[in-house]
Amino acid sequence: MATAFLAFGAGLLLSLWACAYLTPRAWWRRPNLRAGGALAAGTAVLGTSLYMIAGDPPATETALAAPSAAPVAGARYWTHDALNLRAATGTDAPRLAVVPAGSRVVATGERRGDWWQVRADVDGRQQQGWASSLWLRRADEHR
């Protein structure tokens, strides 16, 4: 946010300078639509250009730390929606079972990217397989 503010602020200042030297003085004696349009267009073009040159600001330490959170062995989670339990990681891996929404699963502690190995009780049988962590919520999270 600060990068955008600085970029468009610099774009406004550059536009004021350019308008002062490149447009007729009569445009600036009293407010008019032509002068306002030149100032707005210059600010938009120069501000956008400066923002693109500056690039995105670096991610914060908190944002970088969140995806690396590993599942704790034995920790309980609940499924946000119907969860496909798979034989391996990836959506192309064979599906072992479908864990109903709102069911409890237990993490084994194994992780490969966003895929966690979990155990779940499905139709009275204990199943172990891989599930996308995007569909899991901590047991203490509000449903």
Side-chain angles (χ1 to χ4, degrees):
M1 183 69 171
T3 304
F5 181 77
L6 291 173
F8 283 94
L12 174 63
L13 291 176
L14 287 171
S15 295
L16 284 169
W17 178 83
C19 286
Y21 288 100
L22 301 176
T23 58
R25 287 185 185 259
W27 286 15
W28 303 102
R29 289 199 178 125
R30 60 187 166 121
N32 63 51
L33 195 56
R34 188 173 27 199
L39 190 58
T43 301
V45 169
L46 291 171
T48 302
S49 299
L50 291 172
Y51 183 69
M52 297 299 276
I53 290 169
D56 290 331
T60 63
E61 189 174 313
T62 306
L64 292 176
S68 65
V72 177
R76 295 183 182 274
Y77 297 89
W78 61 274
T79 60
H80 172 68
D81 203 351
L83 179 72
N84 290 322
L85 203 57
R86 300 195 178 268
T89 61
T91 55
D92 57 342
R95 183 172 46 202
L96 301 173
V98 177
V99 181
S103 298
R104 297 281 179 177
V105 298
V106 179
T108 65
E110 293 292 321
R111 173 184 178 219
R112 292 188 191 139
D114 284 338
W115 291 86
W116 294 2
Q117 190 177 46
V118 295
R119 287 189 311 271
D121 187 31
V122 181
D123 296 329
R125 289 185 21 215
Q126 190 73 7
Q127 294 274 346
Q128 181 171 311
W130 293 89
S132 172
S133 62
L134 301 175
W135 298 103
L136 301 176
R137 302 294 181 259
R138 290 187 323 265
D140 61 344
E141 279 187 84
H142 180 68
R143 291 185 189 195

